[in-house]
Short mmCIF file of all heavy atoms in Angstrom, two decimals:
data_model
loop_
_atom_site.label_atom_id
_atom_site.label_comp_id
_atom_site.label_asym_id
_atom_site.label_seq_id
_atom_site.Cartn_x
_atom_site.Cartn_y
_atom_site.Cartn_z
N GLU U 1 31.09 81.40 24.39
CA GLU U 1 29.76 81.90 23.98
C GLU U 1 29.43 81.58 22.52
O GLU U 1 28.28 81.71 22.10
CB GLU U 1 29.64 83.42 24.25
CG GLU U 1 30.62 84.29 23.52
CD GLU U 1 31.93 84.52 24.29
OE1 GLU U 1 32.17 83.85 25.31
OE2 GLU U 1 32.70 85.38 23.85
N LEU U 2 30.41 81.13 21.74
CA LEU U 2 30.17 80.76 20.35
C LEU U 2 30.22 79.24 20.14
O LEU U 2 30.25 78.76 19.00
CB LEU U 2 31.20 81.43 19.43
CG LEU U 2 31.18 82.96 19.40
CD1 LEU U 2 32.28 83.50 18.50
CD2 LEU U 2 29.82 83.48 18.97
N ARG U 3 30.22 78.47 21.22
CA ARG U 3 30.36 77.03 21.12
C ARG U 3 29.03 76.29 21.31
O ARG U 3 29.00 75.11 21.64
CB ARG U 3 31.40 76.55 22.13
CG ARG U 3 32.79 77.13 21.87
CD ARG U 3 33.76 76.84 22.98
NE ARG U 3 34.35 75.51 22.88
CZ ARG U 3 35.49 75.24 22.26
NH1 ARG U 3 36.18 76.21 21.68
NH2 ARG U 3 35.95 74.01 22.23
N GLU U 4 27.92 76.99 21.07
CA GLU U 4 26.60 76.39 21.23
C GLU U 4 26.47 75.15 20.33
O GLU U 4 26.90 75.15 19.18
CB GLU U 4 25.52 77.40 20.85
CG GLU U 4 24.12 76.85 20.93
CD GLU U 4 23.08 77.82 20.39
OE1 GLU U 4 23.43 78.86 19.80
OE2 GLU U 4 21.90 77.52 20.55
N ALA U 5 25.89 74.11 20.88
CA ALA U 5 25.69 72.87 20.14
C ALA U 5 24.46 72.16 20.66
O ALA U 5 23.96 72.47 21.75
CB ALA U 5 26.92 71.98 20.29
N TRP U 6 23.97 71.21 19.91
CA TRP U 6 22.83 70.42 20.34
C TRP U 6 22.91 69.05 19.69
O TRP U 6 23.42 68.89 18.59
CB TRP U 6 21.50 71.11 20.02
CG TRP U 6 21.38 71.55 18.60
CD1 TRP U 6 20.81 70.87 17.56
CD2 TRP U 6 21.85 72.79 18.05
NE1 TRP U 6 20.91 71.60 16.40
CE2 TRP U 6 21.55 72.79 16.68
CE3 TRP U 6 22.51 73.90 18.59
CZ2 TRP U 6 21.87 73.84 15.83
CZ3 TRP U 6 22.84 74.94 17.74
CH2 TRP U 6 22.51 74.91 16.38
N PHE U 7 22.46 68.08 20.44
CA PHE U 7 22.28 66.73 19.92
C PHE U 7 20.87 66.63 19.37
O PHE U 7 19.92 67.19 19.94
CB PHE U 7 22.45 65.68 21.02
CG PHE U 7 23.87 65.24 21.25
CD1 PHE U 7 24.44 65.36 22.50
CD2 PHE U 7 24.62 64.67 20.23
CE1 PHE U 7 25.73 64.91 22.74
CE2 PHE U 7 25.91 64.23 20.46
CZ PHE U 7 26.47 64.35 21.72
N VAL U 8 20.72 65.91 18.27
CA VAL U 8 19.42 65.67 17.64
C VAL U 8 19.22 64.17 17.53
O VAL U 8 20.16 63.43 17.20
CB VAL U 8 19.38 66.29 16.22
CG1 VAL U 8 18.07 65.94 15.51
CG2 VAL U 8 19.58 67.78 16.26
N CYS U 9 18.01 63.72 17.80
CA CYS U 9 17.65 62.32 17.60
C CYS U 9 16.29 62.27 16.92
O CYS U 9 15.31 62.78 17.46
CB CYS U 9 17.59 61.58 18.93
SG CYS U 9 17.03 59.87 18.77
N ALA U 10 16.25 61.67 15.74
CA ALA U 10 14.98 61.41 15.06
C ALA U 10 14.72 59.91 15.16
O ALA U 10 15.61 59.10 14.91
CB ALA U 10 15.05 61.83 13.61
N ILE U 11 13.51 59.56 15.55
CA ILE U 11 13.13 58.15 15.65
C ILE U 11 11.96 57.90 14.72
O ILE U 11 10.98 58.65 14.73
CB ILE U 11 12.74 57.77 17.09
CG1 ILE U 11 13.97 57.87 18.00
CG2 ILE U 11 12.16 56.35 17.14
CD1 ILE U 11 13.70 57.54 19.45
N CYS U 12 12.11 56.86 13.93
CA CYS U 12 11.02 56.40 13.07
C CYS U 12 10.46 55.13 13.68
O CYS U 12 11.21 54.22 14.03
CB CYS U 12 11.53 56.14 11.65
SG CYS U 12 10.24 55.49 10.55
N TYR U 13 9.15 55.07 13.80
CA TYR U 13 8.46 53.89 14.32
C TYR U 13 7.54 53.38 13.23
O TYR U 13 6.80 54.15 12.61
CB TYR U 13 7.65 54.26 15.56
CG TYR U 13 6.66 53.20 15.99
CD1 TYR U 13 7.12 51.99 16.52
CD2 TYR U 13 5.30 53.37 15.86
CE1 TYR U 13 6.23 51.00 16.92
CE2 TYR U 13 4.40 52.40 16.25
CZ TYR U 13 4.86 51.21 16.77
OH TYR U 13 3.98 50.24 17.16
N ILE U 14 7.60 52.08 13.01
CA ILE U 14 6.67 51.43 12.08
C ILE U 14 5.92 50.37 12.87
O ILE U 14 6.54 49.48 13.46
CB ILE U 14 7.40 50.81 10.88
CG1 ILE U 14 8.20 51.89 10.13
CG2 ILE U 14 6.40 50.13 9.94
CD1 ILE U 14 8.99 51.38 8.95
N ASN U 15 4.59 50.46 12.88
CA ASN U 15 3.81 49.50 13.65
C ASN U 15 3.59 48.23 12.84
O ASN U 15 4.04 48.11 11.70
CB ASN U 15 2.50 50.13 14.15
CG ASN U 15 1.51 50.41 13.04
OD1 ASN U 15 1.61 49.89 11.92
ND2 ASN U 15 0.51 51.23 13.34
N SER U 16 2.91 47.26 13.43
CA SER U 16 2.72 45.96 12.78
C SER U 16 1.92 46.05 11.49
O SER U 16 1.99 45.15 10.66
CB SER U 16 2.08 44.97 13.75
OG SER U 16 0.86 45.49 14.22
N ASP U 17 1.18 47.15 11.31
CA ASP U 17 0.42 47.35 10.08
C ASP U 17 1.21 48.12 9.02
O ASP U 17 0.69 48.42 7.95
CB ASP U 17 -0.89 48.11 10.37
CG ASP U 17 -1.83 47.31 11.25
OD1 ASP U 17 -1.85 46.06 11.12
OD2 ASP U 17 -2.53 47.92 12.08
N GLY U 18 2.44 48.50 9.34
CA GLY U 18 3.27 49.22 8.38
C GLY U 18 3.09 50.72 8.41
O GLY U 18 3.66 51.43 7.56
N GLU U 19 2.33 51.25 9.37
CA GLU U 19 2.16 52.70 9.48
C GLU U 19 3.44 53.31 10.04
O GLU U 19 4.04 52.78 10.98
CB GLU U 19 0.99 53.03 10.40
CG GLU U 19 -0.34 52.59 9.88
CD GLU U 19 -1.44 52.84 10.92
OE1 GLU U 19 -1.69 54.03 11.21
OE2 GLU U 19 -2.00 51.85 11.44
N VAL U 20 3.84 54.47 9.48
CA VAL U 20 5.10 55.12 9.83
C VAL U 20 4.84 56.41 10.60
O VAL U 20 4.00 57.21 10.20
CB VAL U 20 5.91 55.45 8.55
CG1 VAL U 20 7.18 56.20 8.88
CG2 VAL U 20 6.20 54.18 7.76
N LYS U 21 5.56 56.57 11.71
CA LYS U 21 5.51 57.82 12.48
C LYS U 21 6.94 58.20 12.84
O LYS U 21 7.77 57.33 13.10
CB LYS U 21 4.70 57.64 13.75
CG LYS U 21 3.24 57.30 13.53
CD LYS U 21 2.48 57.33 14.83
CE LYS U 21 1.06 56.90 14.72
NZ LYS U 21 0.24 57.46 13.72
N THR U 22 7.23 59.49 12.84
CA THR U 22 8.55 59.96 13.26
C THR U 22 8.41 61.01 14.36
O THR U 22 7.43 61.76 14.39
CB THR U 22 9.38 60.55 12.10
OG1 THR U 22 8.68 61.65 11.54
CG2 THR U 22 9.67 59.52 11.03
N VAL U 23 9.38 61.00 15.25
CA VAL U 23 9.46 62.00 16.32
C VAL U 23 10.90 62.49 16.39
O VAL U 23 11.82 61.83 15.90
CB VAL U 23 9.02 61.43 17.69
CG1 VAL U 23 7.55 61.07 17.70
CG2 VAL U 23 9.87 60.24 18.09
N ARG U 24 11.08 63.67 17.00
CA ARG U 24 12.41 64.25 17.12
C ARG U 24 12.61 64.76 18.54
O ARG U 24 11.72 65.37 19.12
CB ARG U 24 12.57 65.41 16.14
CG ARG U 24 13.89 66.15 16.25
CD ARG U 24 13.95 67.35 15.31
NE ARG U 24 14.48 66.95 14.04
CZ ARG U 24 15.54 67.50 13.46
NH1 ARG U 24 16.15 68.51 14.04
NH2 ARG U 24 15.98 67.09 12.31
N GLY U 25 13.79 64.51 19.06
CA GLY U 25 14.18 65.04 20.35
C GLY U 25 15.51 65.74 20.24
O GLY U 25 16.34 65.38 19.39
N THR U 26 15.72 66.76 21.06
CA THR U 26 16.99 67.48 21.07
C THR U 26 17.45 67.70 22.50
O THR U 26 16.67 67.56 23.44
CB THR U 26 16.88 68.86 20.38
OG1 THR U 26 15.91 69.64 21.07
CG2 THR U 26 16.48 68.73 18.91
N CYS U 27 18.71 68.02 22.63
CA CYS U 27 19.27 68.43 23.90
C CYS U 27 20.31 69.50 23.60
O CYS U 27 21.24 69.27 22.81
CB CYS U 27 19.90 67.26 24.64
SG CYS U 27 20.55 67.73 26.27
N GLU U 28 20.13 70.67 24.19
CA GLU U 28 21.02 71.79 23.92
C GLU U 28 22.12 71.90 24.97
O GLU U 28 21.89 71.64 26.14
CB GLU U 28 20.23 73.10 23.87
CG GLU U 28 19.22 73.12 22.74
CD GLU U 28 18.44 74.42 22.66
OE1 GLU U 28 18.80 75.40 23.36
OE2 GLU U 28 17.46 74.45 21.91
N GLY U 29 23.29 72.27 24.51
CA GLY U 29 24.44 72.45 25.38
C GLY U 29 25.50 73.25 24.66
O GLY U 29 25.18 74.13 23.86
N TYR U 30 26.75 72.91 24.90
CA TYR U 30 27.85 73.57 24.20
C TYR U 30 29.04 72.62 24.15
O TYR U 30 29.08 71.60 24.86
CB TYR U 30 28.22 74.89 24.88
CG TYR U 30 28.74 74.75 26.29
CD1 TYR U 30 30.11 74.71 26.56
CD2 TYR U 30 27.86 74.67 27.38
CE1 TYR U 30 30.58 74.58 27.86
CE2 TYR U 30 28.34 74.54 28.68
CZ TYR U 30 29.69 74.50 28.91
OH TYR U 30 30.16 74.36 30.19
N ILE U 31 29.98 72.94 23.29
CA ILE U 31 31.17 72.11 23.14
C ILE U 31 32.23 72.61 24.12
O ILE U 31 32.56 73.80 24.14
CB ILE U 31 31.73 72.16 21.70
CG1 ILE U 31 30.66 71.67 20.71
CG2 ILE U 31 33.01 71.33 21.58
CD1 ILE U 31 30.18 70.26 20.93
N GLY U 32 32.74 71.69 24.93
CA GLY U 32 33.79 72.02 25.89
C GLY U 32 35.13 72.24 25.20
O GLY U 32 35.21 72.31 23.97
#
């Protein structure tokens, strides 16, 4: 019950004009 964990992924996208956008995704679980 104290082994809670999550993966994090941040993605930066730069388009052909040099504009920058970032997004974040997570997935929650626990450590075995």
Side-chain angles (χ1 to χ4, degrees):
E1 61 271 10
L2 298 178
R3 297 171 82 93
E4 178 187 9
W6 51 94
F7 273 123
V8 175
C9 176
I11 294 179
C12 177
Y13 167 70
I14 302 179
N15 69 17
S16 56
D17 296 326
E19 295 175 65
V20 177
K21 297 188 185 311
T22 59
V23 294
R24 176 184 270 236
T26 60
C27 182
E28 296 181 11
Y30 64 95
I31 301 301

